[in-house]
Amino acid sequence: MDAKKTGAYLADLRRARGLTQQEAADQLGVSNKTVSKWENGAGLPDITVLPALAELYGVTADDILAGETLRGRPAETEGPARRRLLLLRLRTRFDICFAGAVALGILAWFRVEYVSLAAWPVSVGLLWIGYVLAAHPARYGDVALDTGTWENLYRKLLIASALQWWTLLRLVRIGDLVIDDAGMRLYYAGDTWKPLIFAVGLAVLCAILEWALRRRAGKEASLLWVPERLRLSLRQGDGFLRRTRQIWLVWLMWVAVLVGLWFLAENQLDLALAPWIMEYGEELIRDGLPESWIVLRERLEADVAPWKWLQAGVLAAGGISAAVLAVWTGIAWKKRRPPLAEQGET
């Protein structure tokens, strides 16, 4: 809504009715300063006053919000104002559902018995109901969303979906129940896999939403958000960042999977060392068993060897995949370079 436009429209309506600001204020039950603030564009009428204001001036609330009389206007002139109203409604619908989905997801994240089991599916359902309420009218109605609006919507989908994905992993139980007498805690053996599962799922989620966003809003759209200040601070920043957002997104997904694998190896190594630490003490195990304890040293090395190999494998795979990604990045960036004429070169 344009406060200046709405203010000028309210002032014209008041004059057309032959009312002063004080007379209009008396009929609405507000002060003349409030009416003056509306007409100067310093503020908008409160939603509780809007129906009375519309009735006083003989217009609709939609007219006041649009800053112009919509009814009885030709379709070609009412289009922009009507589009703004529809766009506001679509955003409001989705934002309400998004806020509710995030709140319920956080509630489910605490794993409150019975409450979490109900809150999580309601959270997921509410999020996608909000998406349908926003995307379906935009696809089949007479309002078109610009690229920025689609990007904002899909980024919120990613945030809420990532929260719900991690909440689901907290709710499910993987593996057998383990009783840690030394640490005085209960946990499930498969819980150490959850960071990796989350990282892989998040990467898949990013890929799916990126594909859906580009299909909806065009190839220029991307989930990667870049602050406007950063764009302005870079030379030819907008063109460069627009061309390389997909590359940055792939690298972020690569980092997420690699970090998940590393945490898996670390957690499994800690689990393998836990019984040894409980029996012989942390200092002795961390510093290394005496060389004379040949049998114990061999047993300890056999227990931790798979996870040390996994750590080494993660590092090796990370190095190899980084080299492959670097080559792909160079090729992809070269393809995305604009023509010389577009760069202003001769």
Side-chain angles (χ1 to χ4, degrees), residues 36 92 97 112 117 137-138 226 274 346:
S36 177
T92 303
C97 291
V112 180
L117 296 176
V226 181
T346 58

Side-chain angles (χ1 to χ4, degrees), residues 55 74 77 120 235 257 283 289 292:
E55 184 178 357
T77 57
W120 182 80
R235 181 181 299 176
V257 174
E283 184 177 353
L289 295 174
S292 57

Side-chain angles (χ1 to χ4, degrees), residues 225-242:
W225 178 75
V226 181
E228 289 298 327
R229 290 184 179 180
L230 180 59
R231 289 178 181 273
L232 295 174
S233 65
L234 296 174
R235 181 181 299 176
Q236 296 181 341
D238 187 58
F240 172 75
L241 291 171
R242 186 175 63 249

Side-chain angles (χ1 to χ4, degrees), residues 22-30 35 38 49-54 56-57:
Q22 185 61 54
E23 290 171 340
D26 292 339
Q27 295 193 44
L28 294 169
V30 297
V35 175
W38 296 341
V49 184
L50 203 54
L53 188 62
L56 174 64
Y57 292 151

Side-chain angles (χ1 to χ4, degrees), residues 61-131:
D62 287 346
D63 294 338
I64 295 174
L65 293 175
E68 60 184 320
T69 303
L70 300 177
R71 58 186 178 183
R73 294 173 62 88
E76 61 271 16
T77 57
E78 90 172 8
R82 187 169 182 274
R83 180 187 178 279
R84 287 197 299 270
L85 287 174
L86 289 174
L87 190 58
L88 177 63
R89 290 174 184 173
L90 296 185
R91 286 175 173 171
T92 303
R93 289 173 186 172
F94 179 77
D95 286 345
I96 290 173
C97 291
F98 168 74
V102 170
L104 287 169
I106 293 173
L107 178 63
W109 185 81
F110 287 101
R111 292 192 293 189
V112 180
E113 196 171 2
Y114 302 116
V115 174
S116 296
L117 296 176
W120 182 80
V122 174
S123 172
V124 175
L126 188 62
L127 177 67
W128 291 102
I129 287 173
Y131 174 74

